[in-house]
Amino acid sequence: MEGYSSCCVQGFNWEGTPEGHETKLGEANTYVTGSNPDVAVLVIHDLFGWKFNNLRLLADHYAKEANVTAYLPDFFGGESLPFDIIADQARWGEVDIKGFIGKNTRDIRRGEIFAAAKALRAQYKRVGAVGFCFGGWAVFELGAKGVDLVDCIATAHPSLLTKEDIDKVGVPVLVQAPERDAVYTQELKDYSNKVIPTLNIPYEYHFFPGVEHVFAVRGNPKDETERKAMLRAKNSTVSWLKQWLHE
């Protein structure tokens, strides 16, 4: 289970009704929200998949506040972890994270993630990518030098990220790092801050004290520290997308 831990399934479900609709992006079932004909954002989900309400609500915010069309495709072949266990630590043991990840490795899912990005690149003038947890490694690959599929990337508490991914990034990158993260480790945080500033690309690293892995997508809105961190993460992602996707 390298690259993941029990913290990947913790958190809270948010209230709210998504405003977009379901369609297809290539072969992938996809949640779409927004109507900008020129600017798109590919949102790459965490372990709870494309139907997770919290992510759909975030996609709605990006669409409205950053003036983009946001796409949240299914990259788990119709499967996802059960939403109702998120806030029940006693049930975390029911989740076979190792087995689930074994069916959704980087090598297995890379092709369809790149296919989705290529479909957006063919249709839109500007494309960004935002990834959480599982989606973190993917946005770095999409934003690697020479790939030319996205114009900027943003990630919060990425999983499965490697130093090689960090070495290769070639587009403006926003990293949102919680204080406590067993997956995006202090070693990777330090490496990001050492290497990315040498790559001659715009880079912002935002540190979030008092919160932990998955805060940006599954924080507790009733906890003031977590609520403020979630709001800050959402706002900074919106600002990043506006800056790099709108000329």
Side-chain angles (χ1 to χ4, degrees):
M1 199 169 69
E2 183 178 357
Y4 286 91
S5 74
S6 61
C7 64
C8 291
V9 298
Q10 69 186 15
F12 292 81
N13 289 301
W14 302 342
E15 296 181 356
T17 301
E19 299 178 359
H21 64 279
E22 295 183 5
T23 183
K24 288 275 192 177
L25 179 61
E27 298 297 317
N29 289 319
T30 303
Y31 174 77
V32 180
T33 179
S35 59
N36 191 316
D38 298 319
V39 183
V41 169
L42 178 63
V43 181
I44 305 180
H45 54 65
D46 68 355
L47 294 182
F48 287 89
W50 75 294
K51 288 193 173 184
F52 187 37
N53 197 62
N54 296 12
L55 278 183
R56 293 189 173 196
L57 294 174
L58 275 177
D60 286 347
H61 279 287
Y62 300 156
K64 288 185 290 186
E65 297 174 32
N67 186 23
V68 302
T69 302
Y71 290 78
L72 174 59
D74 173 22
F75 294 126
F76 286 159
E79 292 189 69
S80 67
L81 299 183
F83 304 150
D84 61 340
I85 71 156
I86 289 175
D88 187 357
Q89 186 172 353
R91 295 185 58 197
W92 291 354
E94 299 176 16
V95 180
D96 180 12
I97 299 181
K98 184 177 181 180
F100 187 77
I101 294 303
K103 294 186 293 183
N104 297 286
T105 63
R106 291 177 63 147
D107 287 342
I108 290 172
R109 297 303 178 189
R110 177 181 291 110
E112 57 201 271
I113 291 172
F114 270 65
K118 288 176 182 177
L120 294 181
R121 183 55 110 188
Q123 181 177 348
Y124 291 89
K125 295 178 180 178
R126 305 283 288 176
V127 180
V130 180
F132 303 97
C133 192
F134 174 85
W137 67 266
V139 299
F140 267 79
E141 283 208 14
L142 292 174
K145 296 181 185 71
V147 173
D148 194 32
L149 287 178
V150 296
D151 299 293
C152 69
I153 63 173
T155 184
H157 37 76
S159 298
L160 298 180
L161 192 66
T162 68
K163 292 180 178 179
E164 185 178 14
D165 296 326
I166 295 168
D167 291 339
K168 291 181 177 180
V169 68
V171 299
V173 53
L174 168 66
V175 173
Q176 298 172 327
E179 179 179 356
R180 301 182 298 275
D181 197 330
V183 183
Y184 184 49
T185 62
Q186 189 61 51
E187 180 181 4
L188 284 173
K189 292 173 182 176
D190 292 343
Y191 192 82
S192 299
N193 287 324
K194 175 184 177 182
V195 171
I196 300 178
T198 71
L199 300 179
N200 196 33
I201 57 173
Y203 170 54
E204 288 188 15
Y205 176 91
H206 294 178
F207 175 70
F208 292 77
V211 294
E212 55 193 309
H213 189 78
V214 309
F215 82 92
V217 289
R218 282 182 257 141
N220 180 3
K222 296 181 180 179
D223 180 286
E224 190 66 4
T225 298
E226 293 188 26
R227 186 190 68 80
K228 288 182 177 179
M230 290 188 295
L231 181 60
R232 179 183 163 212
K234 185 270 293 181
N235 286 344
S236 64
T237 301
V238 167
S239 177
W240 192 252
L241 297 175
K242 289 170 69 174
Q243 181 171 9
W244 298 109
L245 297 181
H246 294 283
E247 299 178 350

